[in-house]
Amino acid sequence: MNKTDLTNKIAANAGLSKADAKKALEATLEAISEALKADDKVALVGFGTFSTGVRPARQGKNPKTGEAITIAEKKVAKFKAGADLI
């Protein structure tokens, strides 16, 4: 399922127009994104929890030259599924 399919499903299930469903989905995704950027958790009971974590710096190899490189530390998004999700 892609974003368009999800928008259509929201519109059908909630009795909204496709335009309103798209706005609602975009607003929801933006709110989750902003919360994660601020290092907040987003807990949707029964669905799951979005949070952030840090992937530590590590050694890697340049695939072209085989030269050892250091891959920098990176902030990543995490999702833990809720018990009722599936």
Side-chain angles (χ1 to χ4, degrees):
M1 178 179 279
N2 62 29
K3 198 171 184 180
T4 301
D5 296 335
L6 184 56
T7 300
N8 292 338
K9 193 76 161 173
I10 291 169
N13 289 348
L16 300 171
S17 69
K18 287 182 184 180
D20 287 342
K22 183 177 180 180
K23 286 179 190 176
L25 178 60
E26 292 290 340
T28 302
L29 296 177
E30 182 64 28
I32 292 170
S33 179
E34 287 174 5
L36 293 177
K37 286 176 186 173
D39 288 331
D40 289 337
K41 276 187 183 177
V42 178
L44 304 173
V45 177
F47 182 75
T49 302
F50 296 92
S51 62
T52 58
V54 176
R55 184 180 298 152
R58 62 192 190 279
Q59 288 297 109
K61 283 190 176 185
N62 181 328
K64 275 190 173 178
T65 65
E67 179 184 342
I69 58 172
T70 300
I71 301 169
E73 178 177 275
K74 184 175 183 177
K75 184 175 168 182
V76 294
K78 296 180 185 180
F79 177 74
K80 182 177 179 189
D84 297 336
L85 184 59
I86 298 178

